[in-house]
Amino acid sequence: ITRALLERGRNRFETFCAACHGIDGSGESIVAHNMELRRPPSLVSETVRAFPVGRVFQVISTGYGFMPSYAPELPVHERWAVVAYLRALQRSQSSPLASLPEAVRKRAEEALR
């Protein structure tokens, strides 16, 4: 996984996924609030974080529920880039402060004050 891959995944996520799942993956968006029948799930929930990466790739590729397949719009390498970015997004919102390297943890603690 490279920075370029994550940046491409972020771009594709923001283009194709964020309208429904929210820019932060929480499932909170204007589009989601207008979906009365079935709202998009949070992609950063514990349930989705537990999905194997292949399952996430499959959902992007074939769709799920009201979500269409994005295979026609996203080539295989871009779908995997979205998966990689989503994993980074999930980790950014679920890692305990104590699990960070000491220097990063100290900066985070200072920013939280």
Side-chain angles (χ1 to χ4, degrees), residues 42-54:
S42 167
L43 299 177
V44 295
S45 69
E46 195 171 323
T47 301
V48 177
R49 285 195 325 261
F51 287 175
V53 293

Side-chain angles (χ1 to χ4, degrees), residues 77-99:
H77 70 279
E78 289 191 347
R79 283 179 261 155
W80 281 116
V82 171
V83 172
Y85 174 72
L86 178 58
R87 284 297 194 226
L89 184 65
Q90 291 168 334
R91 189 161 194 191
S92 75
Q93 296 183 33
S94 64
S95 295
L97 201 55
S99 71

Side-chain angles (χ1 to χ4, degrees), residues 13 16-29 32 40-43 67:
F13 180 88
F16 292 96
C17 311
C20 293
H21 293 284
I23 199 80
D24 62 354
S26 67
E28 297 295 325
S29 70
S42 167
L43 299 177
M67 181 181 141

